[in-house]
Amino acid sequence: MLSVIISTEGVEQTAVATLAALVPGAAAGVIREVLLVDGTRNGVIERVADVAGCRFVGFEGSSQGAALAAGALQARSPWLMFLPAGAVLETGWIEETTQFIQAVSTSGRDRAAVFRYARSPYVDTGLRSVLRAVARKLIGPFADQGLLIARDHYDRIGGYPPQARRSEARLLRRLGRSRTLLRSRIVMVG
């Protein structure tokens, strides 16, 4: 039903934290495959993918958009979930994600969803954190809130442009009003 694409930066700890949060989804049969996308070529993420039973996708390029586009090209499911490494989905995401997919599938309308952002209690609450919270309210969701989208909708709107600056923000803007904010929260660790 769902391919999860996790963009990593060669760091094992953040990738493992995200994978651990996805285990209940795999056990429930919601997740068909997980793709770890990495362009660092240091071998760390390739080993994590092997141990965790995920697919490893190497890519050329240095942008986040290139990583996400490479993962989307390799994904085999009709629904895509994009997550940054270090994103941990809180309890309840499985049921809400399943309900969202069913509702969109039966409605025939193009919709995408992002998760509600929750600040980790272990992160410093400095000025930067406050400014990002204000920006989320004014501008809308950031790429670290994940993205749940049907593959055909993703393809119709052009996906992540691999060479563009801030391609995650561009895609979220192109979604516009077809974007839903889910109740389930996402917390960034690491």
Side-chain angles (χ1 to χ4, degrees):
M1 170 188 293
L2 182 64
S3 290
V4 180
I5 300 153
I6 303 170
S7 172
T8 68
E9 295 176 356
V11 180
E12 178 180 8
Q13 292 83 359
T14 54
V16 170
T18 302
L19 289 172
L22 295 175
V23 169
V30 174
I31 297 175
R32 175 181 180 185
E33 65 179 345
V34 176
L35 295 89
L36 294 179
V37 184
D38 187 69
T40 62
R41 305 274 188 228
N42 64 8
V44 171
I45 299 303
E46 196 166 359
R47 286 191 300 277
V48 169
D50 184 46
V51 169
C54 303
R55 289 179 50 209
F56 173 77
V57 178
F59 75 99
E60 296 296 325
S62 59
S63 74
Q64 186 80 351
L68 297 170
L73 283 174
Q74 297 294 318
R76 298 182 290 220
S77 297
W79 280 86
L80 307 174
M81 180 188 289
F82 296 94
L83 296 173
V88 174
L89 297 170
E90 291 188 336
T91 307
W93 73 268
I94 298 167
E95 183 177 326
E96 187 174 19
T97 299
T98 303
Q99 289 174 0
F100 177 80
I101 290 171
Q102 289 173 348
V104 171
S105 297
T106 57
S107 75
R109 293 182 12 212
D110 287 336
R111 303 289 302 164
V114 295
F115 294 94
R116 189 172 305 279
Y117 182 80
R119 187 180 54 80
S120 171
Y122 307 110
V123 176
D124 291 334
T125 56
L127 180 60
R128 182 177 179 196
S129 177
V130 171
L131 292 175
R132 284 183 65 88
V134 169
R136 281 181 207 282
K137 297 281 187 202
L138 296 174
I139 299 170
F142 286 6
D144 61 0
Q145 290 179 239
L147 177 64
L148 176 63
I149 188 169
R151 171 180 285 293
D152 56 350
H153 186 196
Y154 174 83
D155 291 339
R156 271 193 300 280
I157 63 172
Y160 286 107
Q163 306 307 325
R165 285 178 26 111
R166 299 184 36 84
S167 61
E168 308 96 312
R170 287 179 185 211
L171 180 63
L172 288 171
R173 272 195 309 274
R174 280 197 312 262
L175 289 170
R177 294 183 185 260
S178 72
R179 183 182 64 219
T180 299
L181 182 64
L182 299 174
R183 289 183 316 273
S184 301
R185 298 187 314 169
I186 190 169
V187 177
M188 291 299 295
V189 297

